[in-house]
Amino acid sequence: TFAMPDVSGVSYAEAFFEVDQATDVTLFLSTQAGATVLVDGRTVLGRATTAMHDADWRLATLSLSPGVHRVLV
């Protein structure tokens, strides 16, 4: 799911994925603006800013249980 405003506002991207067994995954986030990444409703990555800056990289390693997981950015 993806929603993009016409001029300015808040945009969201949502995805679901499934893992067959417990596994560790690493998420990477690169953004020039503020962003928050939630996995299964828990904030795992974020950059709090209201101004545009040079892009930087953030990463988080998660231990996932078997099953379906939701990512919301």
Side-chain angles (χ1 to χ4, degrees):
T1 305
F2 182 74
M4 183 71 142
D6 290 333
V7 179
S8 64
V10 178
S11 299
Y12 295 94
E14 177 184 47
F16 294 87
F17 64 95
E18 184 173 4
V19 294
D20 295 332
Q21 59 187 1
T23 188
D24 291 339
V25 297
T26 301
L27 297 177
F28 293 89
L29 171 69
S30 178
T31 180
Q32 294 177 315
T36 301
V37 179
L38 294 92
V39 175
D40 298 333
R42 183 175 64 110
T43 301
V44 296
L45 285 170
R47 182 177 186 191
T49 183
T50 56
M52 296 293 280
H53 299 284
D54 291 337
D56 67 353
W57 287 91
R58 311 276 170 122
L59 63 96
T61 299
L62 309 173
S63 296
L64 298 176
S65 59
V68 176
H69 300 274
R70 175 183 181 228
V71 178
L72 178 65
V73 181

